[in-house]
Amino acid sequence: AQSVAQPEDQVNVAEGNPLTVKCTYSVSGNPYLFWYVQYPNRGLQFLLKYITGDNLVKGSYGFEAEFNKSQTSFHLKKPSALVSDSALYFCAVRDPAGNTGKLIFGQGTTLQVKP
Amino acid sequence: DAGITQSPRHKVTETGTPVTLRCHQTENHRYMYWYRQDPGHGLRLIHYSYGVKDTDKGEVSDGYSVSRSKTEDFLLTLESATSSQTSVYFCAISDPRQEPYEQYFGPGTRLTVT
């Protein structure tokens, strides 16, 4: 069965330091992978996606993600964290069955960036 | 929020009462989805629609029904609300003409069943 795991409930980093939010997936075939961010009392905002090609994907707000097929991972990264990056982050994989665009989400990781 | 509105934004209701949540989009996207968000579970798909009058179940569809009579509107109904349906509900849309159909989300509806 398709699944996504975000092994950390919370990640704490100091402002200015690099950050990584981890995601691993299990899906048959070639995966389509996504990262979303949710600020308090808001809906999810699309950050970036991996379809094919270059393993390093750049997205909004200076975020990037590295696709690693052998480790079935899609970790979210940013070279220098901002306090305003504090939010809830979700990794998702598109269900390859059919053409419905259904997403399977991880449990979410809360990122806390301290000044 | 990508031309997606949800109504109501907040609702408190009693166990056993029917509740309908509305999602409205102005993007003319063919696919629409209803998710619920609960701590520790991320987002879980309730129902989705791949066109007018075409709907299907997601992973947590028990106790929920949906209808889509127009492209722009997708309704989620709780026939008889239970406390376990207290949650935040999100609607999303995607365009199947644009791979890989990334989804765009509405602002959410916070539902409390007492």
Side-chain angles (χ1 to χ4, degrees):
Chain A
Q2 280 66 242
S3 65
V4 177
Q6 295 180 240
E8 301 153 317
D9 289 336
Q10 183 157 326
V11 170
N12 298 309
V13 297
E15 188 174 32
N17 282 0
L19 69 88
T20 298
V21 182
K22 295 180 181 177
C23 172
T24 59
Y25 66 90
S26 173
V27 65
S28 55
N30 294 320
Y32 291 166
L33 295 155
F34 305 84
W35 275 102
Y36 286 84
V37 59
Q38 184 181 31
Y39 297 102
N41 301 312
R42 300 288 300 274
L44 277 69
Q45 294 179 31
F46 170 77
L47 269 182
L48 52 78
K49 65 189 175 191
Y50 172 82
I51 307 174
T52 187
D54 195 346
N55 289 342
L56 188 63
V57 178
K58 294 191 184 298
S60 306
Y61 313 122
F63 283 93
E64 55 192 26
E66 186 170 14
F67 172 68
N68 187 316
K69 188 170 184 177
S70 62
Q71 297 185 3
T72 61
S73 66
F74 189 55
H75 300 333
L76 182 69
K77 300 178 185 231
K78 188 173 183 182
S80 178
L82 300 173
V83 172
S84 57
D85 292 330
S86 299
L88 182 57
Y89 290 81
F90 289 99
C91 180
V93 62
R94 188 177 122 187
D95 188 335
N99 289 315
T100 61
K102 290 191 292 181
L103 293 180
I104 300 161
F105 283 87
Q107 310 93 304
T109 299
T110 298
L111 174 65
Q112 190 80 255
V113 181
K114 299 198 169 160
Chain B
D1 288 322
I4 309 167
T5 56
Q6 293 184 232
S7 58
R9 294 293 314 279
H10 301 271
K11 186 168 181 68
V12 180
T13 192
E14 293 184 351
T15 298
T17 59
V19 177
T20 295
L21 308 182
R22 180 181 183 238
C23 176
H24 178 79
Q25 59 143 329
T26 58
E27 306 294 325
N28 200 36
H29 284 357
R30 189 155 67 95
Y31 290 178
M32 298 184 76
Y33 312 83
W34 275 109
Y35 292 91
R36 59 178 289 173
Q37 182 181 18
D38 304 289
H41 290 278
L43 275 77
R44 292 179 292 175
L45 182 66
I46 306 171
H47 281 280
Y48 63 99
S49 169
Y50 42 95
V52 173
K53 293 191 168 57
D54 290 324
T55 64
D56 206 348
K57 296 178 180 180
E59 65 174 305
V60 290
S61 59
D62 286 350
Y64 301 95
S65 62
V66 290
S67 66
R68 190 160 177 211
S69 58
K70 299 185 288 186
T71 298
E72 57 266 36
D73 289 326
F74 192 31
L75 304 181
L76 177 70
T77 297
L78 290 65
E79 302 290 346
S80 178
T82 67
S83 59
S84 64
Q85 293 176 312
T86 292
S87 186
V88 181
Y89 291 85
F90 287 100
C91 173
I93 65 174
S94 69
D95 185 350
R97 296 169 298 178
Q98 300 180 21
E99 281 282 5
Y101 323 167
E102 62 256 35
Q103 293 183 18
Y104 296 92
F105 286 78
T109 294
R110 184 173 295 276
L111 176 67
T112 302
V113 183
T114 61

Short mmCIF file of all heavy atoms in Angstrom, two decimals, chain B residues 10 16 24 35 42 46 54 64 67-68 81 85 99-101 106-107:
data_model
loop_
_atom_site.label_atom_id
_atom_site.label_comp_id
_atom_site.label_asym_id
_atom_site.label_seq_id
_atom_site.Cartn_x
_atom_site.Cartn_y
_atom_site.Cartn_z
N HIS B 10 -16.78 28.10 10.56
CA HIS B 10 -16.85 27.48 11.87
C HIS B 10 -18.29 27.03 12.10
O HIS B 10 -19.22 27.74 11.71
CB HIS B 10 -16.47 28.47 12.98
CG HIS B 10 -15.10 29.03 12.85
ND1 HIS B 10 -13.99 28.44 13.39
CD2 HIS B 10 -14.65 30.14 12.22
CE1 HIS B 10 -12.92 29.15 13.10
NE2 HIS B 10 -13.29 30.18 12.39
N GLY B 16 -26.16 13.88 16.19
CA GLY B 16 -27.39 13.40 15.58
C GLY B 16 -27.99 14.35 14.56
O GLY B 16 -28.92 13.97 13.84
N HIS B 24 -16.72 25.97 -2.74
CA HIS B 24 -16.99 26.67 -3.99
C HIS B 24 -15.68 27.12 -4.61
O HIS B 24 -14.84 27.71 -3.94
CB HIS B 24 -17.88 27.90 -3.71
CG HIS B 24 -18.18 28.71 -4.92
ND1 HIS B 24 -19.14 28.36 -5.84
CD2 HIS B 24 -17.64 29.87 -5.38
CE1 HIS B 24 -19.18 29.25 -6.81
NE2 HIS B 24 -18.28 30.17 -6.55
N TYR B 35 -11.12 16.57 2.52
CA TYR B 35 -10.23 15.93 3.50
C TYR B 35 -10.68 16.35 4.91
O TYR B 35 -11.28 17.40 5.11
CB TYR B 35 -8.79 16.43 3.34
CG TYR B 35 -8.10 16.02 2.08
CD1 TYR B 35 -8.16 16.82 0.94
CD2 TYR B 35 -7.33 14.87 2.03
CE1 TYR B 35 -7.50 16.45 -0.23
CE2 TYR B 35 -6.66 14.50 0.88
CZ TYR B 35 -6.74 15.29 -0.24
OH TYR B 35 -6.07 14.93 -1.38
N GLY B 42 -2.44 13.69 9.96
CA GLY B 42 -2.28 14.44 8.73
C GLY B 42 -3.64 14.72 8.12
O GLY B 42 -4.63 14.95 8.83
N ILE B 46 -11.74 12.00 2.33
CA ILE B 46 -13.09 11.53 2.65
C ILE B 46 -13.80 11.08 1.36
O ILE B 46 -14.24 9.94 1.24
CB ILE B 46 -13.92 12.63 3.34
CG1 ILE B 46 -13.18 13.17 4.58
CG2 ILE B 46 -15.29 12.09 3.73
CD1 ILE B 46 -13.85 14.40 5.19
N ASP B 54 -19.92 12.89 -10.75
CA ASP B 54 -18.99 11.77 -10.64
C ASP B 54 -18.20 11.89 -9.36
O ASP B 54 -17.35 12.79 -9.23
CB ASP B 54 -18.03 11.76 -11.84
CG ASP B 54 -18.71 11.38 -13.12
OD1 ASP B 54 -19.62 10.53 -13.08
OD2 ASP B 54 -18.33 11.94 -14.16
N TYR B 64 -20.24 9.93 5.81
CA TYR B 64 -20.21 11.12 4.96
C TYR B 64 -20.81 10.80 3.58
O TYR B 64 -20.63 9.69 3.07
CB TYR B 64 -18.79 11.62 4.73
CG TYR B 64 -18.02 11.98 5.97
CD1 TYR B 64 -17.17 11.04 6.56
CD2 TYR B 64 -18.11 13.25 6.53
CE1 TYR B 64 -16.43 11.37 7.69
CE2 TYR B 64 -17.38 13.58 7.65
CZ TYR B 64 -16.53 12.64 8.22
OH TYR B 64 -15.80 12.97 9.34
N SER B 67 -22.08 15.53 -2.88
CA SER B 67 -22.81 15.77 -4.13
C SER B 67 -22.11 16.86 -4.91
O SER B 67 -21.52 17.79 -4.33
CB SER B 67 -24.27 16.15 -3.86
OG SER B 67 -24.34 17.39 -3.20
N ARG B 68 -22.19 16.73 -6.23
CA ARG B 68 -21.60 17.75 -7.10
C ARG B 68 -22.52 17.91 -8.31
O ARG B 68 -22.47 17.12 -9.24
CB ARG B 68 -20.20 17.36 -7.54
CG ARG B 68 -19.48 18.50 -8.24
CD ARG B 68 -18.03 18.29 -8.25
NE ARG B 68 -17.34 19.33 -8.99
CZ ARG B 68 -16.21 19.11 -9.63
NH1 ARG B 68 -15.67 17.91 -9.64
NH2 ARG B 68 -15.62 20.11 -10.26
N ALA B 81 -24.46 13.73 12.57
CA ALA B 81 -23.13 14.03 13.10
C ALA B 81 -22.83 13.28 14.40
O ALA B 81 -23.71 13.12 15.27
CB ALA B 81 -22.98 15.53 13.32
N GLN B 85 -16.63 13.01 14.43
CA GLN B 85 -16.52 13.82 13.23
C GLN B 85 -16.12 15.26 13.54
O GLN B 85 -16.04 16.10 12.62
CB GLN B 85 -17.83 13.77 12.43
CG GLN B 85 -18.10 12.38 11.87
CD GLN B 85 -19.45 12.29 11.17
OE1 GLN B 85 -20.48 12.72 11.70
NE2 GLN B 85 -19.45 11.69 9.99
N GLU B 99 -0.34 18.04 -15.47
CA GLU B 99 0.40 17.11 -14.63
C GLU B 99 1.26 17.89 -13.65
O GLU B 99 1.82 18.93 -14.02
CB GLU B 99 1.28 16.21 -15.48
CG GLU B 99 0.54 15.08 -16.14
CD GLU B 99 0.24 13.93 -15.18
OE1 GLU B 99 0.54 14.05 -13.98
OE2 GLU B 99 -0.30 12.93 -15.63
N PRO B 100 1.52 17.42 -12.42
CA PRO B 100 0.96 16.19 -11.86
C PRO B 100 -0.27 16.44 -11.01
O PRO B 100 -0.46 15.78 -10.00
CB PRO B 100 2.12 15.72 -10.97
CG PRO B 100 2.67 16.99 -10.42
CD PRO B 100 2.51 18.02 -11.51
N TYR B 101 -1.12 17.34 -11.42
CA TYR B 101 -2.37 17.65 -10.74
C TYR B 101 -2.14 18.10 -9.30
O TYR B 101 -2.80 17.61 -8.38
CB TYR B 101 -3.35 16.48 -10.65
CG TYR B 101 -3.50 15.51 -11.78
CD1 TYR B 101 -4.18 14.34 -11.57
CD2 TYR B 101 -2.99 15.74 -13.04
CE1 TYR B 101 -4.37 13.42 -12.58
CE2 TYR B 101 -3.15 14.83 -14.05
CZ TYR B 101 -3.84 13.66 -13.82
OH TYR B 101 -4.02 12.75 -14.82
N GLY B 106 -8.66 25.05 0.11
CA GLY B 106 -9.44 26.12 0.70
C GLY B 106 -9.00 26.41 2.11
O GLY B 106 -8.10 25.75 2.65
N PRO B 107 -9.65 27.38 2.77
CA PRO B 107 -9.22 27.83 4.10
C PRO B 107 -9.66 26.92 5.23
O PRO B 107 -9.18 27.06 6.35
CB PRO B 107 -9.87 29.21 4.24
CG PRO B 107 -11.09 29.10 3.37
CD PRO B 107 -10.70 28.23 2.22
#
